[in-house]
Amino acid sequence: TLASVAAPRGSGPFRRLGDGPGWPRQTRTDLAAAKKGRADRRTTVASFVQFTDLHLTDVQHPLRYEFFRAGNTGSWRPHEALTMPGVVSLIERVNALRTGPATGSPLSFAMTTGDNGDNNSKAELDWFLTAMSGGRITPNTGHPTHYEGVQNSGLKLFWHPESPLRDADKQRGFPHLPGYLAAATRTVNSPGLAIPWYSTYGNHDGLSGGCYPGVGSFIADVATGDRKLQIIGAAEAKRIIDGEAGGVDPKGKRIEELLRAHRGDTRTITPDPRRAPTTVRDYLAAHLDPAHTGAGPVGHGYGKDNLDAGTLYYAFPVSDRVIGISLDSTDPGGHYQGSLGTAQLRWLERTLTEHQDRYALIFSHHPSWSMNNATPDPAHPREARHEGDELLAVLRRHRNVLAWINGHSHRNKIAPRGTFWEISTASHVDYPQLARVIEVTDNHDGTVSLFTTLVESAAPYRTDFHDLSQTGLAALYRELAFNAPGRSTDLAGTLGDRNTELLLPRR
């Protein structure tokens, strides 16, 4: 995005995308001064790429909460059937990039900071691992040849790409695209990342809808069942949305009551056991499966010790001078905001102390401002939960920490945290669809620089509505996301949250 960024063209309710001016790099001296001549002295100590919030989505899943669109237009994404070609195009872009834009140093790994899937289902987990490691993915569940979701429901609330129905989105300029649903559920080929990659756990990876524990519950029965609720009244939708924002519902009672009350309003669909929610053990075992090793490492950060203990946090070597630490900020008790248990927080402090002679990079799904969830862990009900301010304090006590890198908010935001930088990156499901390259250099003048550069997928900016190839769908994915009704328009952040050089004193 230094050279160019997708930008809208023309006017009207539905705008096409084209080639726009890039975002210049901003030097940020909040934590250290920028000294002259550093570009000639610097050496690279780490170079990698961050993916976050891919939200690979089974759009026919019975527990898609599309019906919330009745109360909030932005609660359903018209483009979400194209998450798979979208992420494959991002993988292709990183494979072509090969080196960091600021230093020219080879990218040594990728880290995906959670919400890799969307519904906490076995199918989505398999799709994610296959996309990252390479292989063929058919993003379709239920009936093998007949789409069974809201986009052929006849409900005007949703975009019907293949129907002449004058739905709400077509009234906003969305196109009529014959063959779209068959193309969106067609097999996709992923080359897999050409570099090693690591995985961090997000709330959508472990909780139904990113909020509710699903295994062994009413939610699990609905997920693998044959009934799908597609629409409710606006007032009811708003009441539940407000309830989720205002308080924790760890057992998903609001959703259970809603689904039971509307049992007679559901659509009959084809049941599929692949839609079952995943346990922590399922998640870990799938990562450790040799079929998903790809460019490595085996387990993508997780090891047998994680499988045995049921833990989702680990440390890994970034380079000779840098240690990476991946945290599990998802609260297994429920709700979309995060926290850490005491055992994990103590492990983090021990790990930072053991590696105090190396720089440390911290990875998590949730940013500090989204870690305010004290819901007890059902497996450890007496263990305290620790929120974002406490984690910030811990990281400040360890002067080897350079950055805390995360996602969840779907927003670019870079904040100085006294002794380190907190770097939050926009998602690859909401516009702008981005990943971030991060390069760390020793400037040999008493300072360290972190270069951050946002990257878009390999898909062309300009779309062709007649091109339903894999590449054409990836381009359409971006353009539909830009035009999604009710979308947030400030997720790109300011220039200082995008392409940057972040200075720190060397320790």
Side-chain angles (χ1 to χ4, degrees):
T1 59
L2 288 165
S4 64
V5 181
R9 293 283 183 267
S11 60
F14 189 98
R15 302 182 70 184
R16 311 305 298 275
L17 294 179
D19 190 347
W23 295 326
R25 193 177 303 282
Q26 306 289 300
T27 300
R28 294 191 55 177
T29 57
D30 311 53
L31 301 181
K35 299 181 180 180
K36 292 182 178 180
R38 65 190 182 283
D40 299 323
R41 294 187 298 268
R42 70 171 62 111
T43 55
T44 306
V45 297
S47 180
F48 60 96
V49 63
Q50 177 202 10
F51 290 2
T52 196
D53 296 87
L54 303 175
H55 285 275
L56 297 178
T57 305
D58 173 8
V59 294
Q60 299 171 87
H61 195 286
L63 279 172
R64 297 295 302 141
Y65 301 126
E66 298 107 336
F67 46 75
F68 283 143
R69 198 185 208 202
N72 180 346
T73 303
S75 292
W76 176 71
R77 303 178 179 100
H79 54 284
E80 64 185 18
L82 302 181
T83 53
M84 189 58 64
V87 77
V88 171
S89 184
L90 181 63
I91 289 167
E92 292 169 343
R93 179 73 183 101
V94 170
N95 286 349
L97 190 63
R98 298 183 180 274
T99 62
T103 67
S105 299
L107 298 172
S108 60
F109 71 95
M111 168 63 82
T112 175
T113 51
D115 282 4
N116 307 302
D118 194 74
N119 298 309
N120 174 33
S121 80
K122 292 180 179 180
E124 290 175 350
L125 176 58
D126 181 69
W127 298 348
F128 160 66
L129 292 169
T130 304
M132 297 289 282
S133 297
R136 293 167 60 84
I137 311 109
T138 303
N140 186 36
T141 59
H143 196 283
T145 59
H146 179 62
Y147 171 89
E148 298 174 320
V150 296
Q151 291 191 272
N152 70 352
S153 64
L155 297 168
K156 289 187 176 182
L157 186 64
F158 306 104
W159 176 45
H160 288 60
E162 297 188 359
S163 166
L165 180 71
R166 188 69 174 161
D167 58 61
D169 290 331
K170 288 205 190 77
Q171 292 176 40
R172 299 181 178 102
F174 271 64
H176 177 227
L177 299 177
Y180 173 90
L181 294 175
T185 53
R186 188 177 57 214
T187 299
V188 171
N189 295 294
S190 174
L193 278 170
I195 54 178
W197 62 272
Y198 295 85
S199 180
T200 293
Y201 199 60
N203 56 298
H204 278 264
D205 298 316
L207 300 169
S208 175
C211 288
Y212 312 115
V215 176
S217 70
F218 172 83
I219 282 174
D221 294 337
V222 175
T224 57
D226 65 351
R227 310 297 295 179
K228 180 177 175 63
L229 180 61
Q230 299 181 126
I231 194 167
I232 59 177
E236 190 172 23
K238 289 176 182 176
R239 177 179 60 80
I240 298 173
I241 291 168
D242 291 344
E244 296 308 316
V248 176
D249 182 19
K251 296 186 181 299
K253 288 299 182 184
R254 280 187 286 261
I255 291 297
E256 180 174 348
E257 290 169 2
L258 175 76
L259 294 175
R260 289 191 187 280
H262 286 276
R263 172 75 181 176
D265 303 322
T266 55
R267 174 181 184 173
T268 301
I269 61 171
T270 306
D272 194 328
R274 295 177 297 162
R275 294 168 173 156
T278 60
T279 64
V280 168
R281 185 172 183 83
D282 291 334
Y283 190 84
L284 292 167
H287 278 73
L288 288 160
D289 186 337
H292 293 139
T293 297
V298 174
H300 305 289
Y302 302 113
K304 187 177 183 300
D305 55 337
N306 294 107
L307 189 65
D308 292 341
T311 56
L312 289 155
Y313 47 88
Y314 60 89
F316 66 101
V318 171
S319 68
D320 291 343
R321 298 177 59 185
V322 184
I323 187 79
I325 297 174
S326 173
L327 301 177
D328 170 20
S329 60
T330 294
D331 190 326
H335 204 47
Y336 56 87
Q337 304 291 47
S339 59
L340 301 184
T342 298
Q344 182 177 183
L345 191 67
R346 289 175 177 167
W347 170 86
L348 171 63
E349 294 204 78
R350 290 195 305 271
T351 303
L352 286 170
T353 300
E354 290 169 5
H355 295 280
Q356 59 187 336
D357 59 338
R358 302 169 77 179
Y359 293 127
L361 298 170
I362 311 300
F363 300 91
S364 74
H365 178 60
H366 294 84
S368 61
W369 60 91
S370 291
M371 293 182 65
N372 56 4
N373 183 4
T375 305
D377 179 351
H380 306 281
R382 302 183 68 178
E383 182 185 43
R385 302 296 298 183
H386 302 271
E387 300 182 3
D389 287 346
E390 189 169 354
L391 182 52
L392 285 170
V394 167
L395 298 180
R396 288 190 188 104
R397 290 200 295 269
H398 294 270
R399 302 301 291 272
N400 56 329
V401 174
L402 297 178
W404 177 8
I405 300 157
N406 50 53
H408 183 67
S409 68
H410 294 207
R411 184 184 310 274
N412 291 319
K413 181 177 179 179
I414 298 177
R417 298 303 187 196
T419 58
F420 64 92
W421 291 92
E422 184 172 1
I423 302 169
S424 193
T425 301
S427 74
H428 204 255
V429 67
D430 291 318
Y431 188 89
Q433 296 168 334
L434 300 169
R436 196 188 295 264
V437 174
I438 300 175
E439 301 162 86
V440 184
T441 68
D442 184 340
N443 296 326
H444 299 285
D445 60 4
T447 66
V448 171
S449 290
L450 286 79
F451 291 91
T452 75
T453 310
L454 295 165
V455 296
E456 298 173 295
S457 79
Y461 293 146
R462 187 172 297 279
T463 62
D464 177 353
F465 289 157
H466 300 288
D467 180 6
L468 298 181
S469 67
Q470 184 171 313
T471 298
L473 292 176
L476 184 60
Y477 180 53
R478 183 194 292 126
E479 187 165 281
L480 294 175
F482 175 81
N483 287 283
R487 75 174 180 90
S488 297
T489 57
D490 59 352
L491 299 181
T494 68
L495 287 177
D497 300 311
R498 302 175 197 172
N499 300 327
T500 68
E501 180 186 1
L502 310 173
L503 274 294
L504 281 168
R506 181 183 176 188
R507 302 175 184 99

